[in-house]
Amino acid sequence: MHQDEKLRLRRLPLFREMMTPTFDGLMEIAYAQTFPAQLELIRQGEYADFLHVIVEGSVELHAMWNGRNTIMGIVNPVSTFILAACVCEEPYLMSARTLERSQIVLLPVADVRVALRQDPDFAMAAMRELANGYRTFVRHAKNLKLRNSTERLAAYILHQSRQNDDMDTVTLPVEKRLLASHLGMTPENLSRSMKALQGHGIAVRAMRVKIADRARLAAVAVPDPLIDGP
């Protein structure tokens, strides 16, 4: 691994506070690899061999059951996935595939577990990351269960704007088919919700959404920090 890659990993909350010898030991056995788009990295039901850290690109987390497939989330740099299966020594509940050409650092999971036992700061950081993941899951479940499809889309657009310094023009980060699955709706429902919101303060052109009236859009979404985050 290059030194700049190690520095990027060191800044991650999971690795930031761990002891230097522990971090250096993991970096000695870690390696970075570049994967092409649409490559399956892990498969639900299998056990973890590595802790994955995405450095460049993007990864889709998805789940399958009885011939159906749904998007669980999109992972962007720089972050880890899926930590819970690595810590618990349980099978993956989701699969993961690259959405584009992606660089990923692989850490052997057996060595990660040893480091967790030996380094209390690393263990506490892992606990915080797992807790944050749980809270994200609860927020997402509340969003799906308490809002209708149009309200979810309005909240999503406002969230994307907030993540980009409250810009009035938002570019959807994934294709609409993936966005529909992430928001718990069919592509047809997403299209209908997009049209409905055009009467409530937005204009849509391909993958770009312009917020013309933020107050009207917020009146549909009714933003809530206990659902949408602080």
Side-chain angles (χ1 to χ4, degrees):
M1 284 179 58
H2 297 298
Q3 186 63 26
D4 59 337
E5 293 170 339
K6 294 180 181 180
L7 291 175
R8 292 176 75 180
L9 294 186
R10 188 58 155 152
R11 288 192 289 267
L12 282 177
L14 182 62
F15 303 118
R16 188 183 301 152
E17 297 175 6
M18 66 194 305
M19 294 185 295
T20 298
T22 308
F23 179 78
D24 291 342
L26 284 179
M27 291 304 101
E28 287 180 4
I29 56 176
Y31 63 95
Q33 188 169 344
T34 300
F35 297 95
Q38 299 302 313
L39 181 77
E40 187 172 63
L41 299 169
I42 61 177
R43 184 177 299 172
Q44 68 177 41
E46 296 182 348
Y47 285 81
D49 293 318
F50 298 96
L51 175 63
H52 296 70
V53 185
I54 180 168
V55 177
E56 295 178 3
S58 57
V59 169
E60 170 196 292
L61 302 178
H62 63 104
M64 297 158 285
W65 176 80
N66 199 27
R68 301 170 193 166
N69 189 48
T70 189
I71 307 302
M72 302 297 291
I74 306 296
V75 185
N76 296 302
V78 174
S79 58
T80 62
F81 67 95
I82 303 173
L83 178 60
C86 298
V87 173
C88 298
E89 299 185 53
E90 295 286 345
Y92 290 122
L93 299 179
M94 300 179 285
S95 300
R97 61 172 164 246
T98 54
L99 286 174
E100 57 188 309
R101 188 173 182 270
S102 301
Q103 185 180 25
I104 294 172
V105 173
L106 302 170
L107 300 168
V109 71
D111 297 277
V112 171
R113 291 180 187 131
V114 170
L116 286 169
R117 295 187 186 99
Q118 294 178 344
D119 189 329
D121 289 330
F122 183 35
M124 181 59 71
M127 187 184 301
R128 281 196 301 268
E129 182 150 329
L130 291 171
N132 287 332
Y134 169 76
R135 291 176 64 82
T136 298
F137 168 78
V138 171
R139 288 193 180 103
H140 186 58
K142 290 174 67 174
N143 187 45
L144 292 176
K145 291 178 178 291
L146 295 175
R147 286 177 170 144
N148 63 36
S149 59
T150 303
E151 291 165 345
R152 291 199 297 274
L153 179 59
Y156 178 84
I157 293 170
L158 286 173
H159 176 76
Q160 291 299 311
S161 172
R162 189 170 72 246
Q163 294 291 96
N164 291 278
D165 300 319
D166 290 325
M167 291 183 63
D168 288 333
T169 299
V170 171
T171 300
L172 299 179
V174 294
E175 61 180 280
K176 291 178 180 178
R177 174 185 62 84
L178 298 178
L179 176 58
S181 180
H182 176 64
L183 293 177
M185 60 182 84
T186 65
E188 293 77 18
N189 281 339
L190 177 66
S191 179
R192 285 193 290 269
S193 295
M194 282 283 190
K195 291 179 181 177
L197 287 179
Q198 291 184 54
H200 294 276
I202 71 166
V204 182
R205 186 170 184 178
M207 298 293 286
R208 295 171 68 85
V209 179
K210 180 175 177 57
I211 303 174
D213 191 328
R214 189 176 295 269
R216 291 185 67 188
L217 186 62
V220 176
V222 191
D224 184 338
L226 298 182
I227 298 178
D228 306 300

Short mmCIF file of all heavy atoms in Angstrom, two decimals, residues 53-115:
data_model
loop_
_atom_site.label_atom_id
_atom_site.label_comp_id
_atom_site.label_asym_id
_atom_site.label_seq_id
_atom_site.Cartn_x
_atom_site.Cartn_y
_atom_site.Cartn_z
N VAL A 53 -12.50 -1.78 2.83
CA VAL A 53 -12.51 -0.33 2.96
C VAL A 53 -12.48 0.27 1.55
O VAL A 53 -11.52 0.04 0.81
CB VAL A 53 -11.29 0.19 3.76
CG1 VAL A 53 -11.41 1.69 3.97
CG2 VAL A 53 -11.16 -0.53 5.09
N ILE A 54 -13.53 0.99 1.18
CA ILE A 54 -13.56 1.58 -0.15
C ILE A 54 -12.82 2.91 -0.14
O ILE A 54 -13.07 3.78 0.69
CB ILE A 54 -15.01 1.73 -0.66
CG1 ILE A 54 -15.01 2.35 -2.07
CG2 ILE A 54 -15.87 2.54 0.29
CD1 ILE A 54 -16.34 2.27 -2.76
N VAL A 55 -11.87 3.04 -1.05
CA VAL A 55 -11.03 4.22 -1.15
C VAL A 55 -11.44 5.09 -2.33
O VAL A 55 -11.45 6.32 -2.25
CB VAL A 55 -9.54 3.82 -1.28
CG1 VAL A 55 -8.65 5.04 -1.45
CG2 VAL A 55 -9.11 3.01 -0.05
N GLU A 56 -11.81 4.46 -3.44
CA GLU A 56 -12.28 5.19 -4.62
C GLU A 56 -13.42 4.40 -5.24
O GLU A 56 -13.46 3.17 -5.16
CB GLU A 56 -11.16 5.36 -5.66
CG GLU A 56 -10.01 6.24 -5.20
CD GLU A 56 -8.91 6.33 -6.25
OE1 GLU A 56 -9.07 5.75 -7.34
OE2 GLU A 56 -7.88 6.97 -5.96
N GLY A 57 -14.37 5.13 -5.88
CA GLY A 57 -15.49 4.47 -6.56
C GLY A 57 -16.73 4.44 -5.70
O GLY A 57 -16.95 5.30 -4.83
N SER A 58 -17.57 3.43 -5.90
CA SER A 58 -18.79 3.27 -5.10
C SER A 58 -19.22 1.81 -5.15
O SER A 58 -18.96 1.10 -6.13
CB SER A 58 -19.92 4.18 -5.62
OG SER A 58 -20.20 3.93 -6.98
N VAL A 59 -19.89 1.38 -4.08
CA VAL A 59 -20.30 -0.01 -3.94
C VAL A 59 -21.77 -0.05 -3.55
O VAL A 59 -22.22 0.72 -2.69
CB VAL A 59 -19.45 -0.73 -2.86
CG1 VAL A 59 -20.04 -2.10 -2.52
CG2 VAL A 59 -18.01 -0.88 -3.34
N GLU A 60 -22.51 -0.94 -4.19
CA GLU A 60 -23.92 -1.14 -3.89
C GLU A 60 -24.09 -2.32 -2.96
O GLU A 60 -23.56 -3.41 -3.21
CB GLU A 60 -24.68 -1.39 -5.20
CG GLU A 60 -26.12 -1.84 -5.02
CD GLU A 60 -26.68 -2.43 -6.30
OE1 GLU A 60 -26.86 -1.66 -7.26
OE2 GLU A 60 -26.91 -3.67 -6.35
N LEU A 61 -24.82 -2.13 -1.86
CA LEU A 61 -25.19 -3.21 -0.97
C LEU A 61 -26.61 -3.63 -1.32
O LEU A 61 -27.51 -2.79 -1.39
CB LEU A 61 -25.12 -2.76 0.49
CG LEU A 61 -23.77 -2.23 0.97
CD1 LEU A 61 -23.88 -1.76 2.42
CD2 LEU A 61 -22.68 -3.27 0.83
N HIS A 62 -26.82 -4.92 -1.56
CA HIS A 62 -28.15 -5.37 -1.96
C HIS A 62 -28.45 -6.72 -1.32
O HIS A 62 -27.55 -7.44 -0.86
CB HIS A 62 -28.27 -5.45 -3.48
CG HIS A 62 -27.34 -6.44 -4.12
ND1 HIS A 62 -27.73 -7.66 -4.58
CD2 HIS A 62 -26.00 -6.38 -4.38
CE1 HIS A 62 -26.71 -8.31 -5.09
NE2 HIS A 62 -25.64 -7.56 -4.98
N ALA A 63 -29.73 -7.06 -1.26
CA ALA A 63 -30.17 -8.31 -0.65
C ALA A 63 -31.16 -9.00 -1.58
O ALA A 63 -31.87 -8.35 -2.36
CB ALA A 63 -30.81 -8.05 0.70
N MET A 64 -31.20 -10.32 -1.49
CA MET A 64 -32.06 -11.12 -2.36
C MET A 64 -32.88 -12.09 -1.53
O MET A 64 -32.41 -12.59 -0.50
CB MET A 64 -31.21 -11.89 -3.38
CG MET A 64 -30.42 -11.00 -4.33
SD MET A 64 -29.00 -11.86 -5.05
CE MET A 64 -27.87 -11.87 -3.63
N TRP A 65 -34.09 -12.35 -1.98
CA TRP A 65 -34.96 -13.34 -1.35
C TRP A 65 -36.04 -13.76 -2.33
O TRP A 65 -36.70 -12.91 -2.94
CB TRP A 65 -35.60 -12.79 -0.08
CG TRP A 65 -36.59 -13.72 0.56
CD1 TRP A 65 -36.30 -14.79 1.36
CD2 TRP A 65 -38.02 -13.70 0.42
NE1 TRP A 65 -37.45 -15.44 1.73
CE2 TRP A 65 -38.53 -14.78 1.18
CE3 TRP A 65 -38.90 -12.87 -0.26
CZ2 TRP A 65 -39.89 -15.05 1.26
CZ3 TRP A 65 -40.26 -13.14 -0.17
CH2 TRP A 65 -40.74 -14.23 0.58
N ASN A 66 -36.19 -15.06 -2.51
CA ASN A 66 -37.30 -15.61 -3.29
C ASN A 66 -37.42 -14.97 -4.67
O ASN A 66 -38.52 -14.65 -5.14
CB ASN A 66 -38.61 -15.44 -2.51
CG ASN A 66 -39.70 -16.37 -3.01
OD1 ASN A 66 -39.43 -17.45 -3.54
ND2 ASN A 66 -40.95 -15.95 -2.84
N GLY A 67 -36.29 -14.77 -5.32
CA GLY A 67 -36.28 -14.20 -6.66
C GLY A 67 -36.37 -12.69 -6.71
O GLY A 67 -36.41 -12.10 -7.79
N ARG A 68 -36.43 -12.05 -5.55
CA ARG A 68 -36.52 -10.59 -5.49
C ARG A 68 -35.19 -10.00 -5.03
O ARG A 68 -34.43 -10.63 -4.32
CB ARG A 68 -37.64 -10.15 -4.54
CG ARG A 68 -39.01 -10.68 -4.92
CD ARG A 68 -40.01 -10.42 -3.83
NE ARG A 68 -41.24 -11.19 -4.04
CZ ARG A 68 -42.18 -11.37 -3.13
NH1 ARG A 68 -42.04 -10.82 -1.94
NH2 ARG A 68 -43.25 -12.08 -3.40
N ASN A 69 -34.95 -8.77 -5.45
CA ASN A 69 -33.69 -8.10 -5.14
C ASN A 69 -33.99 -6.68 -4.71
O ASN A 69 -34.86 -6.02 -5.29
CB ASN A 69 -32.78 -8.09 -6.37
CG ASN A 69 -31.39 -7.60 -6.05
OD1 ASN A 69 -30.77 -8.03 -5.08
ND2 ASN A 69 -30.88 -6.69 -6.87
N THR A 70 -33.31 -6.19 -3.68
CA THR A 70 -33.52 -4.81 -3.24
C THR A 70 -32.19 -4.17 -2.87
O THR A 70 -31.26 -4.86 -2.43
CB THR A 70 -34.49 -4.74 -2.05
OG1 THR A 70 -34.83 -3.38 -1.79
CG2 THR A 70 -33.88 -5.35 -0.79
N ILE A 71 -32.12 -2.86 -3.06
CA ILE A 71 -30.92 -2.11 -2.71
C ILE A 71 -31.00 -1.71 -1.24
O ILE A 71 -31.98 -1.11 -0.80
CB ILE A 71 -30.78 -0.85 -3.58
CG1 ILE A 71 -30.87 -1.21 -5.07
CG2 ILE A 71 -29.47 -0.13 -3.26
CD1 ILE A 71 -29.85 -2.21 -5.52
N MET A 72 -29.97 -2.04 -0.49
CA MET A 72 -29.93 -1.71 0.93
C MET A 72 -29.17 -0.41 1.19
O MET A 72 -29.39 0.25 2.19
CB MET A 72 -29.29 -2.84 1.72
CG MET A 72 -29.99 -4.18 1.56
SD MET A 72 -31.67 -4.18 2.19
CE MET A 72 -31.38 -4.04 3.96
N GLY A 73 -28.26 -0.06 0.30
CA GLY A 73 -27.51 1.17 0.49
C GLY A 73 -26.38 1.29 -0.51
O GLY A 73 -26.05 0.33 -1.22
N ILE A 74 -25.80 2.48 -0.58
CA ILE A 74 -24.66 2.77 -1.44
C ILE A 74 -23.51 3.22 -0.55
O ILE A 74 -23.69 4.09 0.31
CB ILE A 74 -24.98 3.86 -2.47
CG1 ILE A 74 -26.24 3.51 -3.28
CG2 ILE A 74 -23.79 4.09 -3.39
CD1 ILE A 74 -26.12 2.28 -4.14
N VAL A 75 -22.34 2.62 -0.72
CA VAL A 75 -21.16 2.96 0.08
C VAL A 75 -20.21 3.79 -0.78
O VAL A 75 -19.86 3.39 -1.89
CB VAL A 75 -20.45 1.69 0.58
CG1 VAL A 75 -19.30 2.08 1.52
CG2 VAL A 75 -21.42 0.76 1.29
N ASN A 76 -19.81 4.94 -0.24
CA ASN A 76 -18.89 5.83 -0.94
C ASN A 76 -17.60 5.99 -0.13
O ASN A 76 -17.58 5.71 1.07
CB ASN A 76 -19.55 7.20 -1.15
CG ASN A 76 -20.77 7.11 -2.06
OD1 ASN A 76 -20.68 6.67 -3.20
ND2 ASN A 76 -21.92 7.54 -1.56
N PRO A 77 -16.53 6.44 -0.78
CA PRO A 77 -15.25 6.60 -0.08
C PRO A 77 -15.32 7.70 0.98
O PRO A 77 -16.10 8.62 0.87
CB PRO A 77 -14.29 7.01 -1.20
CG PRO A 77 -14.99 6.62 -2.47
CD PRO A 77 -16.44 6.76 -2.21
N VAL A 78 -14.49 7.65 1.97
CA VAL A 78 -13.69 6.50 2.38
C VAL A 78 -14.43 5.88 3.55
O VAL A 78 -14.67 6.56 4.54
CB VAL A 78 -12.27 6.92 2.82
CG1 VAL A 78 -11.48 5.76 3.38
CG2 VAL A 78 -11.51 7.61 1.70
N SER A 79 -14.83 4.62 3.46
CA SER A 79 -15.57 4.00 4.54
C SER A 79 -15.46 2.48 4.45
O SER A 79 -15.09 1.93 3.41
CB SER A 79 -17.05 4.42 4.49
OG SER A 79 -17.63 4.08 3.26
N THR A 80 -15.81 1.82 5.56
CA THR A 80 -15.75 0.37 5.63
C THR A 80 -17.11 -0.26 5.34
O THR A 80 -18.14 0.39 5.43
CB THR A 80 -15.31 -0.10 7.02
OG1 THR A 80 -16.28 0.33 7.98
CG2 THR A 80 -13.96 0.47 7.40
N PHE A 81 -17.09 -1.52 4.98
CA PHE A 81 -18.31 -2.34 4.88
C PHE A 81 -17.84 -3.79 4.89
O PHE A 81 -16.74 -4.10 4.43
CB PHE A 81 -19.10 -2.00 3.61
CG PHE A 81 -18.39 -2.38 2.33
CD1 PHE A 81 -18.66 -3.60 1.71
CD2 PHE A 81 -17.42 -1.56 1.78
CE1 PHE A 81 -18.00 -3.98 0.53
CE2 PHE A 81 -16.76 -1.93 0.61
CZ PHE A 81 -17.06 -3.13 -0.02
N ILE A 82 -18.56 -4.79 5.33
CA ILE A 82 -19.66 -4.74 6.27
C ILE A 82 -19.05 -5.19 7.59
O ILE A 82 -18.74 -6.35 7.77
CB ILE A 82 -20.77 -5.70 5.83
CG1 ILE A 82 -21.24 -5.34 4.41
CG2 ILE A 82 -21.91 -5.70 6.81
CD1 ILE A 82 -22.22 -6.36 3.83
N LEU A 83 -18.86 -4.25 8.52
CA LEU A 83 -18.10 -4.50 9.75
C LEU A 83 -18.78 -5.53 10.65
O LEU A 83 -18.11 -6.35 11.27
CB LEU A 83 -17.91 -3.18 10.50
CG LEU A 83 -17.18 -3.24 11.84
CD1 LEU A 83 -15.78 -3.81 11.67
CD2 LEU A 83 -17.14 -1.87 12.49
N ALA A 84 -20.12 -5.50 10.74
CA ALA A 84 -20.82 -6.36 11.69
C ALA A 84 -20.53 -7.84 11.45
O ALA A 84 -20.31 -8.60 12.39
CB ALA A 84 -22.33 -6.10 11.62
N ALA A 85 -20.55 -8.27 10.19
CA ALA A 85 -20.28 -9.68 9.88
C ALA A 85 -18.86 -10.06 10.26
O ALA A 85 -18.60 -11.20 10.68
CB ALA A 85 -20.53 -9.94 8.40
N CYS A 86 -17.93 -9.11 10.14
CA CYS A 86 -16.54 -9.38 10.51
C CYS A 86 -16.38 -9.55 12.02
O CYS A 86 -15.68 -10.45 12.48
CB CYS A 86 -15.64 -8.24 10.02
SG CYS A 86 -15.61 -8.01 8.23
N VAL A 87 -17.05 -8.69 12.78
CA VAL A 87 -16.93 -8.73 14.23
C VAL A 87 -17.64 -9.94 14.82
O VAL A 87 -17.13 -10.61 15.72
CB VAL A 87 -17.47 -7.42 14.85
CG1 VAL A 87 -17.52 -7.51 16.36
CG2 VAL A 87 -16.62 -6.24 14.41
N CYS A 88 -18.84 -10.22 14.31
CA CYS A 88 -19.69 -11.26 14.91
C CYS A 88 -19.37 -12.67 14.42
O CYS A 88 -19.88 -13.64 14.98
CB CYS A 88 -21.16 -10.96 14.61
SG CYS A 88 -21.76 -9.42 15.32
N GLU A 89 -18.55 -12.78 13.37
CA GLU A 89 -18.27 -14.08 12.76
C GLU A 89 -19.57 -14.76 12.33
O GLU A 89 -19.78 -15.95 12.54
CB GLU A 89 -17.48 -14.98 13.71
CG GLU A 89 -16.12 -14.41 14.09
CD GLU A 89 -15.29 -15.36 14.93
OE1 GLU A 89 -15.11 -16.52 14.49
OE2 GLU A 89 -14.84 -14.97 16.01
N GLU A 90 -20.46 -13.97 11.75
CA GLU A 90 -21.74 -14.43 11.24
C GLU A 90 -21.78 -14.23 9.73
O GLU A 90 -21.00 -13.44 9.18
CB GLU A 90 -22.90 -13.66 11.89
CG GLU A 90 -23.04 -13.89 13.39
CD GLU A 90 -23.62 -15.25 13.73
OE1 GLU A 90 -24.17 -15.91 12.81
OE2 GLU A 90 -23.52 -15.66 14.90
N PRO A 91 -22.67 -14.95 9.02
CA PRO A 91 -22.73 -14.78 7.57
C PRO A 91 -23.21 -13.39 7.17
O PRO A 91 -23.96 -12.73 7.93
CB PRO A 91 -23.72 -15.86 7.12
CG PRO A 91 -24.51 -16.20 8.33
CD PRO A 91 -23.59 -16.00 9.49
N TYR A 92 -22.77 -12.94 6.01
CA TYR A 92 -23.23 -11.66 5.47
C TYR A 92 -24.75 -11.68 5.29
O TYR A 92 -25.33 -12.64 4.79
CB TYR A 92 -22.61 -11.38 4.10
CG TYR A 92 -21.14 -11.08 4.11
CD1 TYR A 92 -20.26 -11.88 3.37
CD2 TYR A 92 -20.62 -9.99 4.79
CE1 TYR A 92 -18.90 -11.59 3.33
CE2 TYR A 92 -19.27 -9.70 4.76
CZ TYR A 92 -18.42 -10.49 4.03
OH TYR A 92 -17.08 -10.21 3.99
N LEU A 93 -25.41 -10.59 5.69
CA LEU A 93 -26.84 -10.44 5.46
C LEU A 93 -27.11 -9.75 4.13
O LEU A 93 -28.24 -9.71 3.66
CB LEU A 93 -27.49 -9.63 6.59
CG LEU A 93 -27.39 -10.24 7.99
CD1 LEU A 93 -28.05 -9.32 9.00
CD2 LEU A 93 -28.03 -11.63 8.02
N MET A 94 -26.05 -9.19 3.52
CA MET A 94 -26.17 -8.49 2.25
C MET A 94 -25.04 -8.90 1.32
O MET A 94 -24.02 -9.41 1.76
CB MET A 94 -26.11 -6.97 2.46
CG MET A 94 -27.19 -6.40 3.33
SD MET A 94 -27.03 -4.59 3.55
CE MET A 94 -25.64 -4.52 4.70
N SER A 95 -25.26 -8.67 0.05
CA SER A 95 -24.22 -8.81 -0.95
C SER A 95 -23.70 -7.43 -1.32
O SER A 95 -24.34 -6.42 -1.02
CB SER A 95 -24.75 -9.52 -2.20
OG SER A 95 -25.23 -10.82 -1.90
N ALA A 96 -22.55 -7.39 -1.96
CA ALA A 96 -21.97 -6.10 -2.37
C ALA A 96 -21.35 -6.24 -3.74
O ALA A 96 -20.70 -7.25 -4.04
CB ALA A 96 -20.94 -5.63 -1.35
N ARG A 97 -21.58 -5.24 -4.59
CA ARG A 97 -20.93 -5.21 -5.90
C ARG A 97 -20.54 -3.78 -6.24
O ARG A 97 -21.18 -2.82 -5.77
CB ARG A 97 -21.83 -5.78 -6.99
CG ARG A 97 -23.14 -5.06 -7.20
CD ARG A 97 -23.89 -5.56 -8.43
NE ARG A 97 -25.28 -5.13 -8.40
CZ ARG A 97 -26.31 -5.95 -8.28
NH1 ARG A 97 -26.12 -7.26 -8.17
NH2 ARG A 97 -27.55 -5.48 -8.27
N THR A 98 -19.51 -3.64 -7.03
CA THR A 98 -19.05 -2.31 -7.43
C THR A 98 -20.02 -1.70 -8.43
O THR A 98 -20.53 -2.39 -9.32
CB THR A 98 -17.66 -2.40 -8.07
OG1 THR A 98 -17.69 -3.35 -9.15
CG2 THR A 98 -16.62 -2.85 -7.05
N LEU A 99 -20.28 -0.41 -8.28
CA LEU A 99 -21.10 0.30 -9.25
C LEU A 99 -20.25 0.91 -10.36
O LEU A 99 -20.75 1.20 -11.44
CB LEU A 99 -21.90 1.41 -8.56
CG LEU A 99 -23.09 0.95 -7.71
CD1 LEU A 99 -23.69 2.13 -6.97
CD2 LEU A 99 -24.13 0.27 -8.56
N GLU A 100 -18.99 1.11 -10.05
CA GLU A 100 -18.04 1.68 -11.00
C GLU A 100 -16.66 1.13 -10.65
O GLU A 100 -16.51 0.38 -9.68
CB GLU A 100 -18.05 3.21 -10.90
CG GLU A 100 -17.74 3.72 -9.50
CD GLU A 100 -17.94 5.22 -9.36
OE1 GLU A 100 -17.38 5.95 -10.20
OE2 GLU A 100 -18.66 5.65 -8.44
N ARG A 101 -15.69 1.47 -11.44
CA ARG A 101 -14.33 1.05 -11.14
C ARG A 101 -13.96 1.57 -9.75
O ARG A 101 -14.04 2.76 -9.48
CB ARG A 101 -13.36 1.60 -12.19
CG ARG A 101 -11.93 1.08 -12.10
CD ARG A 101 -11.14 1.56 -13.30
NE ARG A 101 -9.78 1.05 -13.28
CZ ARG A 101 -8.76 1.67 -12.71
NH1 ARG A 101 -8.94 2.83 -12.11
NH2 ARG A 101 -7.55 1.14 -12.75
N SER A 102 -13.55 0.66 -8.86
CA SER A 102 -13.37 1.03 -7.46
C SER A 102 -12.08 0.46 -6.90
O SER A 102 -11.69 -0.67 -7.23
CB SER A 102 -14.55 0.50 -6.62
OG SER A 102 -15.79 1.01 -7.08
N GLN A 103 -11.45 1.25 -6.05
CA GLN A 103 -10.27 0.77 -5.32
C GLN A 103 -10.67 0.45 -3.90
O GLN A 103 -11.28 1.27 -3.21
CB GLN A 103 -9.16 1.81 -5.33
CG GLN A 103 -7.87 1.30 -4.67
CD GLN A 103 -6.76 2.32 -4.67
OE1 GLN A 103 -7.01 3.51 -4.72
NE2 GLN A 103 -5.52 1.86 -4.59
N ILE A 104 -10.33 -0.75 -3.47
CA ILE A 104 -10.75 -1.23 -2.15
C ILE A 104 -9.54 -1.82 -1.43
O ILE A 104 -8.75 -2.56 -2.01
CB ILE A 104 -11.86 -2.28 -2.29
CG1 ILE A 104 -13.12 -1.61 -2.87
CG2 ILE A 104 -12.19 -2.94 -0.95
CD1 ILE A 104 -14.22 -2.55 -3.23
N VAL A 105 -9.42 -1.46 -0.16
CA VAL A 105 -8.37 -2.02 0.69
C VAL A 105 -8.96 -3.22 1.44
O VAL A 105 -10.07 -3.13 1.99
CB VAL A 105 -7.84 -0.97 1.68
CG1 VAL A 105 -6.87 -1.60 2.67
CG2 VAL A 105 -7.17 0.17 0.92
N LEU A 106 -8.24 -4.31 1.45
CA LEU A 106 -8.68 -5.55 2.09
C LEU A 106 -7.81 -5.84 3.31
O LEU A 106 -6.59 -5.90 3.22
CB LEU A 106 -8.60 -6.71 1.09
CG LEU A 106 -9.40 -6.53 -0.20
CD1 LEU A 106 -9.04 -7.61 -1.21
CD2 LEU A 106 -10.89 -6.54 0.08
N LEU A 107 -8.50 -6.01 4.45
CA LEU A 107 -7.82 -6.35 5.70
C LEU A 107 -8.26 -7.73 6.14
O LEU A 107 -9.46 -7.96 6.34
CB LEU A 107 -8.17 -5.34 6.79
CG LEU A 107 -7.81 -3.87 6.53
CD1 LEU A 107 -8.48 -2.98 7.56
CD2 LEU A 107 -6.32 -3.68 6.59
N PRO A 108 -7.34 -8.69 6.28
CA PRO A 108 -7.73 -10.05 6.71
C PRO A 108 -8.52 -10.00 8.01
O PRO A 108 -8.08 -9.44 9.01
CB PRO A 108 -6.39 -10.77 6.88
CG PRO A 108 -5.46 -10.03 5.97
CD PRO A 108 -5.89 -8.60 6.03
N VAL A 109 -9.71 -10.60 7.99
CA VAL A 109 -10.62 -10.44 9.12
C VAL A 109 -10.09 -11.10 10.39
O VAL A 109 -10.35 -10.61 11.50
CB VAL A 109 -12.03 -10.96 8.74
CG1 VAL A 109 -12.04 -12.47 8.65
CG2 VAL A 109 -13.07 -10.48 9.74
N ALA A 110 -9.35 -12.18 10.26
CA ALA A 110 -8.79 -12.83 11.46
C ALA A 110 -7.86 -11.88 12.20
O ALA A 110 -7.87 -11.82 13.44
CB ALA A 110 -8.06 -14.11 11.07
N ASP A 111 -7.07 -11.12 11.46
CA ASP A 111 -6.15 -10.16 12.09
C ASP A 111 -6.90 -8.97 12.65
O ASP A 111 -6.48 -8.39 13.66
CB ASP A 111 -5.11 -9.71 11.05
CG ASP A 111 -4.25 -10.87 10.57
OD1 ASP A 111 -3.27 -11.21 11.25
OD2 ASP A 111 -4.58 -11.45 9.52
N VAL A 112 -7.99 -8.57 12.00
CA VAL A 112 -8.82 -7.49 12.53
C VAL A 112 -9.38 -7.90 13.90
O VAL A 112 -9.39 -7.10 14.85
CB VAL A 112 -9.96 -7.14 11.55
CG1 VAL A 112 -10.95 -6.17 12.19
CG2 VAL A 112 -9.39 -6.53 10.27
N ARG A 113 -9.83 -9.15 14.02
CA ARG A 113 -10.40 -9.61 15.30
C ARG A 113 -9.33 -9.64 16.40
O ARG A 113 -9.61 -9.30 17.55
CB ARG A 113 -11.02 -10.99 15.12
CG ARG A 113 -12.28 -10.97 14.26
CD ARG A 113 -12.88 -12.35 14.11
NE ARG A 113 -13.98 -12.36 13.17
CZ ARG A 113 -14.12 -13.23 12.17
NH1 ARG A 113 -13.22 -14.19 12.00
NH2 ARG A 113 -15.16 -13.16 11.36
N VAL A 114 -8.13 -10.05 16.05
CA VAL A 114 -7.04 -10.04 17.03
C VAL A 114 -6.77 -8.61 17.50
O VAL A 114 -6.61 -8.35 18.70
CB VAL A 114 -5.76 -10.65 16.42
CG1 VAL A 114 -4.56 -10.42 17.35
CG2 VAL A 114 -5.95 -12.15 16.18
N ALA A 115 -6.76 -7.66 16.54
CA ALA A 115 -6.51 -6.26 16.89
C ALA A 115 -7.61 -5.72 17.79
O ALA A 115 -7.35 -4.94 18.71
CB ALA A 115 -6.39 -5.43 15.62
#
